[in-house]
Amino acid sequence: MSVDQAFLGRREVETSEAMEQLGLRIGEQLTAGDLLILTGPLGAGKTTFTRGLAEGLGVRGPVQSPTFVIARTHPSLVGRAPLVHVDAYRLGSADELDDLDLDLARSAVVVEWGRGLAEELADAWWDIEIERPVGGDDIDPSELDADAPRIVTITRETAS
């Protein structure tokens, strides 16, 4: 895995622009074979983070949530690994994810909603969890999708 160990840990990300910048800094280090599994509720910033990854990798965009197409490949414009962006939200099993026949060896792959499904794709991966405010007595429901701070936790995982 090529991503710098300095990204490991838990951090607060103040804005969507800062989320994209975090993705960009990580994307600059990605190489073919890297797998990132993104977890977080709707509106947490998974696709915003992935837009930054794409910019850091230098791939063709635009990067949008692949919810309805399941997976989208973004070829490199600068001779680096392409980005495969997967949305596993509607997949029911790891077998369905495997059926997509993703080119893990020659691509950097990010799987939104992939926890519990994508771990079998590689011997090691980056687990990235994005938390956002989800409501409560102290949060106005109209502000849940606002540019509120997120908590991002990045760990490196390996198959046992």
Side-chain angles (χ1 to χ4, degrees):
M1 292 281 158
S2 62
V3 178
D4 188 331
Q5 299 287 326
F7 289 108
L8 293 177
R10 185 175 169 96
R11 68 187 38 80
E12 185 172 288
V13 178
E14 293 290 330
T15 64
S16 57
E17 181 179 296
M19 182 69 74
E20 202 164 319
Q21 284 298 308
L22 175 61
L24 182 143
R25 291 190 335 262
I26 291 173
E28 289 173 336
Q29 297 183 32
L30 292 178
T31 61
D34 284 335
L35 172 64
L36 295 90
I37 299 174
L38 302 184
T39 303
L42 288 171
K46 296 180 296 294
T47 301
T48 300
F49 177 84
T50 304
R51 275 191 207 101
L53 286 177
E55 186 177 344
L57 271 167
V59 300
R60 186 174 68 215
V63 172
Q64 302 167 327
S65 179
T67 299
F68 299 106
V69 295
I70 310 296
R72 192 174 267 132
T73 299
H74 298 275
S76 177
L77 297 172
V78 294
R80 296 188 58 212
L83 174 67
V84 177
H85 184 195
V86 181
D87 186 326
Y89 183 77
R90 297 182 318 150
L91 299 180
S93 69
D95 288 339
E96 287 182 39
L97 184 59
D98 190 50
D99 286 346
L100 296 176
D101 198 26
L102 303 171
D103 188 359
L104 290 162
R106 290 184 284 189
S107 305
V109 177
V110 59
V111 183
E112 294 187 28
W113 303 97
R115 190 177 285 160
L117 297 174
E119 294 87 352
E120 295 180 22
L121 296 175
D123 292 334
W125 62 92
W126 296 94
D127 186 88
I128 301 171
E129 183 166 1
I130 304 172
E131 301 170 62
R132 69 167 177 85
V134 292
D137 295 337
D138 58 337
I139 297 177
D140 179 349
S142 68
E143 297 296 317
L144 290 179
D145 289 327
D147 207 12
R150 299 334 197 210
I151 302 297
V152 178
T153 305
I154 302 174
T155 58
R156 184 161 188 306
E157 306 294 333
T158 56
S160 346

